[in-house]
Amino acid sequence: MRVKEKKTRIYWLLLLPGILFITFFMLIPLFSIILKTFFNEGGSFSLEGYFKLFQSTYFQQVFVRSIKLSLISTLVCAVLGFPTSYYISKYAKNKGMLMALAVFPMFTSPVIRSFSWMVILGKKGIVNTTLVNLGLIPKPVGLLYNEFSMVVGFIQLFLPLMILSLIGVMDNISEDLNEAACSLGATRLGAFRHIVFPLSIPGLVTGSVLVFTGCLTAYTTPQLLGGTDTRVLATMIYQQAMSLGDWTQASVVAVVMIVVTIVVSSGINAASRKLNPTI
């Protein structure tokens, strides 16, 4: 017992620096911001800031747009990332090289990537120029400074997180399970549906939570690719705090963002448990 208690004490001592850092530099500032949103200027308890925010038509539009774009980006990342991860984990001979290529975009600053998309999607960019030269469109179309360009930026930014999350899970799925299913009469598609996909759900859940949270809280990509007319929650916080000087309202928006992130992440986990009760 003494040896076990000694090991436990050592573990806590090793965790102590990290716990103190997170407490003083993240939790205390976070809770101080949250508490301030529940009090008015006179110091009395009030929910006026929240009522004022939710009654705003502008906030309602920004809120719906933020959720919609985050969910669309998460869904597209899942659709693109799943087959890519499956191929890399099961069939690729140069697995390390392909994983490096998948992660490579993360080594580039989001600012540089956003400016690159501005060059590609602009009216004189590569996409519009190619479509016009091929005769598919009569004149350049607006692919930039809208929801489409934001989704494109989100997908490039967070698709590596989905791929890495899925590869980490798929690597642990034994190929013997597929062979056993096929030997019992299942087709390759049937084995994939009943074995590979259910066992891959934990990675899909982790990747979806990471992508959704990243899209909902991202600032640089929507600020550069969305323009001034396509606001999301992150750019609205900046607008309220820096442009309008209303730090209280900016804090309220931040609290709403935190709550939405927790609720959606919990919803994704709950849905995954229904698909795979072993999670």
Side-chain angles (χ1 to χ4, degrees), residues 59-81:
F59 170 77
Q60 293 172 8
Q61 294 174 350
V62 172
F63 181 82
V64 172
R65 181 185 298 120
S66 301
I67 300 297
K68 180 181 68 174
L69 296 183
S70 299
L71 290 175
I72 291 174
S73 301
T74 303
L75 179 61
V76 175
C77 285
V79 172
L80 295 178

Side-chain angles (χ1 to χ4, degrees), residues 150-207:
M150 291 172 62
V151 170
V152 171
F154 285 150
I155 293 171
Q156 190 207 15
L157 189 62
F158 297 111
L159 181 59
L161 296 179
M162 179 67 74
I163 292 175
L164 290 179
S165 299
L166 285 168
I167 288 178
V169 173
M170 289 180 177
D171 278 342
N172 296 321
I173 301 176
S174 176
E175 190 62 28
D176 294 338
L177 295 175
N178 281 332
E179 294 179 359
C182 292
S183 66
L184 294 174
T187 61
R188 278 288 178 181
L189 182 60
F192 178 86
R193 177 184 174 187
H194 295 288
I195 296 176
V196 177
F197 181 74
L199 294 177
S200 302
I201 288 178
L204 193 61
V205 170
T206 302

Side-chain angles (χ1 to χ4, degrees), residues 39-92:
F39 296 90
N40 56 24
E41 296 180 357
S44 58
F45 181 82
S46 174
L47 296 176
E48 181 182 355
Y50 290 93
F51 287 123
K52 179 181 176 182
L53 183 69
F54 282 101
Q55 289 173 356
S56 171
T57 305
Y58 175 68
F59 170 77
Q60 293 172 8
Q61 294 174 350
V62 172
F63 181 82
V64 172
R65 181 185 298 120
S66 301
I67 300 297
K68 180 181 68 174
L69 296 183
S70 299
L71 290 175
I72 291 174
S73 301
T74 303
L75 179 61
V76 175
C77 285
V79 172
L80 295 178
F82 200 94
T84 303
S85 304
Y86 185 71
Y87 174 79
I88 292 176
S89 63
K90 298 301 180 183
Y91 298 106

Side-chain angles (χ1 to χ4, degrees), residues 69 97 130 180 209 234:
L69 296 183
M97 179 63 69
T130 303
V209 170

Side-chain angles (χ1 to χ4, degrees), residues 1 3 7 54 65 117 135 177 195 203 223 246 250 265 269-270:
M1 291 296 294
V3 175
K7 287 184 177 180
F54 282 101
R65 181 185 298 120
W117 282 114
L177 295 175
I195 296 176
Q223 178 67 18
D246 192 347
S265 300
N269 281 295

